[in-house]
Amino acid sequence: QVQLAESGGGSVMAGGSLRLSCAASGFTYDRYCLAWFRQPPGKERERVALIDSDGGLTYADSVKGRFTISQDNAKTTLTSTTLYLQMNSLKPEDTAMYTCAAEAAYGGSCIWVYAFWGRGTQVTVSS
């Protein structure tokens, strides 16, 4: 069972920065997609950043140039890793619950139906 635990959320003024961390463990397959999702109050969840099973990076248009997703290669093993989301130039519209997720990339792609999810960490950006 994959387990994910986020940390690093908090309150920040617009223009500030935060770095979210996600400790992931329990991997049993050799290829996973790793991603950060967010859900603003009263809105649907959206994916903001993705590392696909080939290591490719994808960002939502709303965060391109401001957010960076990465893994700590020094802490990555066959069964665990640490995922980060560096968020710069934060805006009030970035306020949301941020959740990390992992899904085994059977066939090389992820559909986020059989994903494992963390509990989330709140990010609040004030103007």
Side-chain angles (χ1 to χ4, degrees):
Q1 180 88 358
V2 175
Q3 295 183 321
L4 305 119
E6 303 92 340
S7 60
S11 297
V12 65
M13 297 295 292
S17 299
L18 283 173
R19 189 176 80 157
L20 306 183
S21 299
C22 173
S25 62
F27 295 142
T28 59
Y29 190 63
D30 60 352
R31 298 180 72 185
Y32 281 83
C33 300
L34 301 168
W36 286 97
F37 289 75
R38 69 183 180 186
Q39 186 166 19
K43 296 185 179 180
E44 293 187 354
R45 184 170 60 196
E46 65 169 338
R47 193 181 71 204
V48 296
L50 164 71
I51 300 177
D52 65 29
S53 60
D54 295 320
L57 307 181
T58 305
Y59 297 94
D61 288 343
S62 59
V63 306
K64 280 181 182 177
R66 300 188 299 121
F67 289 14
T68 303
I69 188 172
S70 64
Q71 277 181 269
D72 189 334
N73 291 328
K75 295 182 179 179
T76 296
T77 69
L78 290 176
T79 60
S80 65
T81 191
T82 300
L83 185 68
Y84 299 107
L85 185 68
Q86 178 66 45
M87 305 185 296
N88 299 327
S89 302
L90 282 161
K91 305 175 181 180
E93 51 264 44
D94 294 319
T95 294
M97 179 68 74
Y98 284 73
T99 305
C100 63
E103 185 173 73
Y106 300 119
S109 62
C110 293
I111 58 175
W112 303 104
V113 173
Y114 304 104
F116 295 91
W117 302 87
R119 292 187 175 184
T121 184
Q122 178 68 37
V123 171
T124 302
V125 184
S126 302
S127 58

